[in-house]
Amino acid sequence: MFIVDAWKGSKPLWTVFWLYGVLPSTIATGIFLWLVSQGAPGSGLRQLLLAAFAPYTIWVLVAIWRAAAHAPDPLMGGMARGLTVAWAINATMLVVFAEMDFPI
């Protein structure tokens, strides 16, 4: 099962980073920003997205971190880990500010 394999670091870094990380989070961010632009600050869909975003983010960040350890190029693994730290900080700020109804 891809969820468990990715969590264990068994999937290739490019797959976890681009297909499980960047693509879904870009789509979710687009939906979230669209909801904000529609003036739906407390909408059920927006709250559902935020509730799903937290466990997804934890899963994908752990998966990327673990996959980076097995990257064929150590430089790419290091870059992925650095971006993972930045991603974690950004995701935390997004959730906190969104819940405060801070203008994003």
Side-chain angles (χ1 to χ4, degrees):
M1 182 175 212
F2 79 93
I3 294 172
V4 175
D5 290 341
W7 179 263
K8 291 179 179 178
S10 302
K11 292 286 188 182
L13 177 59
W14 75 269
T15 303
V16 177
F17 188 88
W18 292 107
L19 299 181
Y20 301 167
V22 174
L23 184 62
S25 66
T26 301
I27 292 168
T29 301
I31 293 169
F32 181 81
L33 291 174
W34 178 79
L35 287 169
V36 169
S37 75
Q38 299 302 306
S43 77
L45 183 55
R46 179 175 159 184
Q47 291 304 112
L48 181 65
L49 273 174
L50 284 174
F53 183 69
Y56 158 76
T57 299
I58 292 167
W59 171 78
V60 79
L61 293 178
V62 169
I64 290 170
W65 192 269
R66 290 178 177 171
H70 307 292
D73 182 352
L75 177 63
M76 292 297 172
M79 287 178 17
R81 283 186 166 176
L83 288 168
T84 297
V85 171
W87 188 345
I89 293 167
N90 181 54
T92 301
M93 290 174 59
L94 174 70
V95 170
V96 168
F97 289 147
E99 285 302 307
M100 292 173 42
D101 281 334
F102 193 81
I104 296 174

